[in-house]
Amino acid sequence: MTNAASIDIPESATAADYPPIPEPNALTEFFWEGVANHKLLILRCGACGKYIHYPRPICPNCLSMDDLAPEEVSGRGTIYSHTTTVQPFHPYYVDKVPYNLIIVALEEDEEVRITSNLIDYPNDDIRIGMPVQVTFEEVAPGLTLPLFKLA
Amino acid sequence: MSKRDRVAAIGVGYSTTGRRTGLTRRQLVAQAAKKAMEDCGISADQIDGVVLHAGVAGAEPPGLDFIDALDVAQMLGIMPISFYNSDQGGPAYIHAAISAIAAIQSGQAHTVLTVRVINQRLSSAQERDSVQGPMRIGGDSQFTMPFGSVTPIQTISALPAQRHMERYGTTEEQFGAHVISQRANAALNDDALMRDPLTMDDYLNSRFVSKPVRLLDCDYPVDSASAIIFTTEERAGDFAKKPVFVESAALSATDILPAGFEKVVDLNHNSPYHASELMWSRTDLKPADVDCAQLYDGFTIIVFQWLEALGFCGEGEAGSFVESGATRLGGSLPVNTDGGACNVGRRHGANFCIESVRQLRGNESGERQVKDAEVAVWANATGPFSGAVLMTKD
Ligand SMILES: [Zn+2]
């Protein structure tokens, strides 16, 4: 799928230079455009108010299709679980292990769960329930991701 | 269900199973199917249905808007559901078994061969090093893989296990107690590939893959095919082995992977609970009637989830239940009496059906035979999709 929002990276880049790169499609383009502009946008149903993440063309709660729109959220949440990955499963992580992976339950709706990484904090001290705040980091040239810091 | 309408398992068989066997899927499937047919002395013309599960869910390449029945149900708010097809993922072997059972019950077929085949994946280092150039990732995985969430060891094992530990006080030693217990069972099983006894030190010294998950918490990747033949109660007595009956069966999906995984309540409480509730609603038997449980152990935490979901202990109590010795051979509920997939090799649920059949036949399990076993339960998969089957001797 050709897409204007496709993330541009240098032609010389190798698999060790980039984590798996999100390839937006018509449903998800808004999310990555938001991230590029340092906004966390979540699709929301205007008819019933439900947040819909990951993006879908229809509201699973009221089946509205025409009234769905991205909405900026606070970026605040709490850690729902976490792990520290020791073994690298992708070339990018060979020199980055151990690294943490967190699941954030979003403040606006704790059923919206976001997979990310916690930065500037020791892996061994991460605990469930810690309050976190989104931050936007360019992890590799041209690739910005929504990461989290302790709030 | 009247007794005459029950479905019976009559023949079981494994292919050659091992690391890098060099066997193709056709070879593996042919071996397992032939063994199952020979096991019960059935001929090809007595079988009128086949269900094969060969899928392995993977990340979506860019540009492909992958969709299957589970995506449809999730998108439209239809979850939870108790019937579906699934092109790639779904709960592996039990999906094939339940399709066969449903077909026989409805009269679509009278005798169905079910098969699960799976090839050992490349080692993680080989897979890692085979990545050519930056990887672009579409579908829902675009929201997880860029952060380094790249393996089920993280999503369906480490993250739920960590939550189980912090929420309920489950300990590493409790995970270890299960790993040691099922290895002891494997030592009594000629079909097992890993048979050396383990100590708690062995467990605690085994390396972390993604904390708190250790290498010894992960099932053992192999090439394997497994086959089980089901038939009607009416025909079940016509074959060489004593039939074992399906008392009740349930297939469940409550969400999808990876999007749905994250929404699982406490990351531990979802499809296995739904499947268990459905399975128990279709029988008069109760958890206390079960003599042995064969519970999917893709990762140790999944066994804990099933112990709780099936009602063998309370929610959050699997750690202390296992630590008490209840799940060892000779305990009140022996679990994974064949050694589990960590030791017999990854067969994606089929080994648990086969071990249930063997235990209930009553004369095929040697030293690991559960005394007077009359009722067995087996379960497969976890998180957003799973299934469970209760089987009886008579
Ligand atoms: Zn709605």
Side-chain angles (χ1 to χ4, degrees):
Chain A
M1 191 180 296
T2 318
N3 198 302
S6 197
I7 289 157
D8 288 324
I9 59 166
E11 269 185 32
S12 61
T14 71
D17 298 329
Y18 284 84
I21 300 166
E23 182 72 5
N25 61 29
L27 275 175
T28 67
E29 194 173 5
F30 76 86
F31 182 89
W32 295 109
E33 279 178 5
V35 168
N37 294 312
H38 291 200
K39 291 183 195 308
L40 188 62
L41 305 178
I42 302 290
L43 197 65
R44 192 172 194 189
C45 176
C48 75
K50 186 172 178 62
Y51 288 97
I52 305 165
H53 189 67
Y54 309 146
R56 292 290 185 265
I58 187 166
C59 172
N61 191 42
C62 73
L63 303 189
S64 172
M65 295 185 78
D66 301 328
D67 207 5
L68 312 182
E71 186 176 295
E72 185 172 3
V73 294
S74 66
R76 287 189 298 272
T78 54
I79 293 181
Y80 202 73
S81 195
H82 58 95
T83 179
T84 297
T85 298
V86 178
Q87 184 175 329
F89 289 87
H90 179 278
Y92 178 73
Y93 295 98
V94 169
D95 60 2
K96 294 176 184 67
V97 287
Y99 66 92
N100 72 66
L101 201 61
I102 59 171
I103 292 178
V104 175
L106 204 64
E107 183 179 275
E108 282 82 354
D109 177 356
E110 76 102 35
E111 283 195 16
V112 174
R113 307 271 168 82
I114 296 174
T115 294
S116 186
N117 312 113
L118 186 68
I119 61 169
D120 301 336
Y121 198 75
N123 292 336
D124 287 348
D125 295 344
I126 301 174
R127 294 291 179 274
I128 288 167
M130 283 179 163
V132 292
Q133 170 70 50
V134 77
T135 177
F136 298 91
E137 304 287 330
E138 190 173 11
V139 300
L143 177 61
T144 296
L145 294 177
L147 305 182
F148 285 81
K149 283 180 168 173
L150 225 49
Chain B
M1 197 184 311
S2 84
K3 287 280 182 189
R4 296 290 298 165
D5 294 337
R6 289 183 305 173
V7 174
I10 49 173
V12 303
Y14 286 130
S15 69
T16 299
T17 297
R19 306 278 281 178
R20 313 258 171 249
T21 58
L23 296 169
T24 67
R25 291 186 165 203
R26 272 189 168 74
Q27 289 171 306
L28 292 165
V29 168
Q31 288 179 355
K34 189 171 181 216
K35 280 270 173 53
M37 290 171 72
E38 286 171 352
D39 183 50
C40 60
I42 199 170
S43 59
D45 62 0
Q46 292 175 291
I47 298 176
D48 65 347
V50 175
V51 189
L52 171 74
H53 197 293
V56 180
E60 302 87 340
L64 178 68
D65 187 18
F66 172 78
I67 184 164
D68 77 356
L70 300 182
D71 293 282
V72 176
Q74 190 269 346
M75 184 166 71
L76 295 169
I78 299 172
M79 294 291 192
I81 54 174
S82 57
F83 184 75
Y84 50 90
N85 70 343
S86 174
D87 298 337
Q88 289 196 28
Y93 173 69
I94 207 163
H95 200 166
I98 288 175
S99 300
I101 292 164
I104 295 167
Q105 285 172 339
S106 69
Q108 298 297 318
H110 55 70
T111 306
V112 180
L113 168 67
T114 63
V115 189
R116 170 66 184 169
V117 63
I118 182 163
N119 284 111
Q120 182 184 350
R121 294 176 59 158
L122 298 173
S123 73
S124 60
Q126 285 170 317
E127 286 195 16
R128 184 187 72 213
D129 297 339
S130 70
V131 177
Q132 298 297 320
M135 176 194 275
R136 290 188 186 265
I137 200 76
D140 284 342
S141 297
Q142 69 187 277
F143 295 101
T144 54
M145 288 185 70
F147 305 92
S149 179
V150 291
T151 154
I153 297 170
Q154 298 160 308
T155 50
I156 61 168
S157 182
L159 292 160
Q162 183 65 36
R163 181 127 185 129
H164 208 279
M165 292 175 82
E166 289 192 44
R167 172 92 202 265
Y168 302 118
T170 304
T171 65
E172 298 178 293
E173 288 79 4
Q174 291 171 338
F175 292 135
H178 169 73
V179 170
I180 293 164
S181 169
Q182 66 173 16
R183 177 62 69 85
N185 299 342
L188 306 176
N189 180 6
D190 290 337
D191 277 335
L193 303 168
M194 308 284 258
R195 302 184 63 181
D196 294 335
L198 290 172
T199 66
M200 189 60 78
D201 278 348
D202 293 333
Y203 176 76
L204 294 173
N205 290 327
S206 111
R207 68 177 170 83
F208 282 117
V209 180
S210 194
K211 292 180 183 177
V213 178
R214 293 177 160 85
L215 190 61
L216 285 174
D217 290 306
C218 305
D219 68 354
Y220 187 49
V222 292
D223 299 333
S224 75
S226 312
I228 296 96
I229 300 169
F230 293 91
T231 192
T232 59
E233 182 160 17
E234 191 181 6
R235 289 169 190 257
D238 296 345
F239 303 100
K241 294 284 177 72
K242 193 185 165 320
V244 165
F245 295 97
V246 174
E247 170 69 17
S248 69
L251 182 67
S252 155
T254 53
D255 220 308
I256 56 169
L257 277 175
F261 144 74
E262 299 173 322
K263 288 199 217 60
V264 169
V265 179
D266 273 322
L267 306 181
N268 289 293
H269 188 304
N270 216 346
S271 180
Y273 279 83
H274 180 233
S276 299
E277 189 186 313
L278 292 173
M279 188 196 80
W280 290 124
S281 76
R282 295 166 183 168
T283 175
D284 294 330
L285 296 178
K286 301 282 180 245
D289 298 317
V290 175
D291 298 304
C292 61
Q294 318 297 342
L295 308 175
Y296 180 64
D297 64 332
F299 305 106
T300 303
I301 184 65
I302 300 172
V303 175
F304 284 38
Q305 293 167 349
W306 278 111
L307 285 170
E308 297 173 10
L310 285 163
F312 295 122
C313 60
E315 189 169 342
E317 294 171 3
S320 49
F321 186 67
V322 167
E323 201 167 40
S324 75
T327 60
R328 291 200 289 255
L329 269 180
S332 59
L333 183 78
V335 168
N336 294 357
T337 49
D338 67 343
C342 291
N343 298 309
V344 303
R346 177 181 295 160
R347 300 165 202 241
H348 273 177
N351 61 297
F352 299 116
C353 178
I354 289 180
E355 178 67 4
S356 298
V357 169
R358 288 179 171 166
Q359 285 286 346
L360 295 177
R361 282 175 175 172
N363 56 0
E364 294 191 354
S365 304
E367 284 183 82
R368 69 178 199 282
Q369 176 66 49
V370 174
K371 194 167 174 293
D372 302 327
E374 293 180 343
V375 181
V377 68
W378 60 280
N380 193 188
T382 184
F385 43 71
S386 69
V389 175
L390 193 65
M391 298 180 108
T392 58
K393 179 175 194 153
D394 298 307

